[in-house]
Amino acid sequence: MQNNSLGKQIIRLRQKQQLSQAKLAERLFVSRQAISKWENGEAEPDLDKLVQLSQIFNVDLDYLVLNHPMHQASILTLSKIRKKYQQPILRDVSFSLHNHERVALLGSNGAGKTTLVNLIAGRIRPDSGTIQRNYQPQLEFSLMPQQNVLIGPMRVQEMIELEVSISQLKTVDVPELLKRANLWDQRNQVIGSLSGGQKRKLMFLLTVIKPAQLFIFDEPTVGMDLETIDRFWQHLDQITGATLVITHDFNQIDHYFDRVLLLREGVITADERVATIHAHNQNLDTWYRQHNQTPEVSYE
């Protein structure tokens, strides 16, 4: 019988992500019996499978195998960010993102979420405050904006091949990518003629086609049908690196994200671990409504 500390770690991480043995086995291309043996300490995965497990669970290998504390290096730090147009949009925004974190950014329409994303992306500058980026913005950052940024007259496969060429991704199999993204049948279709959901699928594929230290997705599932939304979350679940997602899909926040930030009236008014919210017998929908409600005004 082998040491079962790794097995217990696999069980814990699998249950945290609500993955059944069968589902994990499917993603690793092994039998369910193999997963069961790993978890019972009767066998151990080889190095390739350990690497795959760390990617699926989005954790360090040292954390997976030895249960060492995760290295929480800061990927991005914002300090006292202010931005004003005709009126203040961001008043005093401060927070940090760390490697391997999956963070949901919540807030009502007009709260300043997209402005914040544009500041992080370097599209606009803050009026005051600092942004520290511990990654190479041109090489290790990828953004899926709320509005699709696509070249309408191009064909789908041409657009993918262009991104592969620009990013110098020599080992990428474009046909395989299109099949996995369920866009193979549209490969020769002009982008401008795609449906809204198909454009979002293509935009997602262009965003994740290269590895990055930080991914940001701004309302990524808008316009997608339910089947495509499910596929989106499945693909997103396989991304390594830090992710910041603007979304109100509370069911997915509950089981996908580590942490939630609430932007309200230009300030981060709440920053909480998802596990802490659940420990207080709340779901994300209830937590959001409680923290985002406008106080009643008394006229007495």
Side-chain angles (χ1 to χ4, degrees):
M1 182 72 67
Q2 301 185 30
N3 189 309
N4 197 28
S5 60
L6 173 61
K8 291 179 180 177
Q9 186 77 324
I10 293 173
I11 292 171
R12 190 181 67 79
L13 292 169
R14 178 173 62 77
Q15 292 176 343
K16 180 181 178 182
Q17 293 197 12
Q18 300 181 21
L19 279 173
S20 66
Q21 284 187 340
K23 191 65 176 178
L24 181 58
E26 179 184 335
R27 291 177 61 172
L28 289 168
F29 299 101
V30 300
S31 67
R32 189 189 63 77
Q33 287 74 20
I35 302 295
S36 183
K37 287 182 178 180
W38 297 347
E39 293 183 349
N40 292 329
E42 299 169 7
E44 293 183 354
D46 60 27
L47 181 59
D48 287 343
K49 295 305 180 187
L50 284 173
V51 171
Q52 284 183 269
L53 282 167
S54 71
Q55 292 173 344
I56 290 170
F57 295 140
N58 204 27
V59 297
D60 294 326
L61 268 175
D62 284 348
Y63 180 79
L64 173 65
V65 178
L66 303 173
N67 202 18
H68 286 174
M70 290 277 283
H71 178 52
Q72 289 290 296
S74 174
I75 293 292
L76 175 76
T77 299
L78 282 71
S79 300
K80 299 185 181 302
I81 296 297
R82 293 175 178 267
K83 186 65 182 178
K84 179 180 180 180
Y85 292 108
Q86 286 78 15
Q87 59 184 10
I89 304 298
L90 302 175
R91 301 170 187 271
D92 189 7
V93 172
S94 299
F95 67 89
S96 292
L97 299 180
H98 304 90
N99 60 352
H100 300 294
E101 272 197 311
R102 294 173 171 178
V103 180
L105 177 62
L106 308 180
S108 304
N109 292 336
K113 302 185 298 296
T114 296
T115 299
L116 182 58
V117 167
N118 286 331
L119 283 163
I120 295 171
R123 293 178 170 181
I124 56 177
R125 294 178 179 273
D127 297 331
S128 62
T130 60
I131 301 176
Q132 181 181 346
R133 302 175 179 88
N134 296 324
Y135 55 87
Q136 300 179 67
Q138 299 301 319
L139 301 175
E140 298 176 325
F141 172 75
S142 194
L143 167 65
M144 181 179 179
Q146 193 175 67
Q147 301 297 325
N148 297 320
V149 183
L150 301 167
I151 303 174
M154 291 189 73
R155 301 184 186 278
V156 171
Q157 185 161 338
E158 291 174 340
M159 185 86 196
I160 297 294
E161 289 171 344
L162 176 62
E163 181 61 34
V164 167
S165 176
I166 291 172
S167 300
Q168 299 181 358
L169 303 171
K170 298 178 181 178
T171 62
V172 168
D173 185 336
V174 173
E176 180 61 24
L177 274 179
L178 288 165
K179 290 173 184 176
R180 283 167 47 195
N182 202 25
L183 284 169
W184 177 250
D185 292 342
Q186 291 78 35
R187 65 189 182 280
N188 292 317
Q189 193 169 332
V190 173
I191 291 172
S193 67
L194 297 176
S195 69
Q198 289 169 339
K199 288 177 181 178
R200 289 308 275 170
K201 281 197 290 187
L202 177 57
M203 195 67 228
F204 175 72
L205 183 56
L206 291 166
T207 303
V208 301
I209 200 169
K210 66 177 182 180
Q213 293 294 315
L214 175 60
F215 291 90
I216 296 182
F217 301 89
D218 189 351
E219 299 286 4
T221 58
V222 171
M224 292 183 181
D225 58 42
L226 291 177
E227 181 181 354
T228 304
I229 289 173
D230 288 341
R231 286 177 177 270
F232 166 82
W233 288 110
Q234 290 169 9
H235 286 303
L236 195 64
D237 196 34
Q238 300 172 27
I239 290 177
T240 58
T243 55
L244 177 67
V245 185
I246 297 175
T247 181
H248 286 90
D249 192 337
F250 293 108
N251 291 330
Q252 296 299 340
I253 297 172
D254 266 317
H255 79 259
Y256 174 80
F257 292 91
D258 304 310
R259 180 176 158 214
V260 287
L261 301 173
L262 177 61
L263 181 64
R264 185 168 181 270
E265 297 181 353
V267 180
I268 299 293
T269 57
D271 180 348
E272 193 64 85
R273 308 293 299 180
V274 172
T276 302
I277 295 171
H278 290 165
H280 288 85
N281 297 317
Q282 285 187 307
N283 58 33
L284 265 295
D285 190 4
T286 303
W287 179 89
Y288 174 75
R289 292 177 187 279
Q290 176 184 330
H291 286 79
N292 198 47
Q293 64 184 354
T294 301
E296 295 184 6
V297 178
S298 174
Y299 295 98
E300 295 181 359

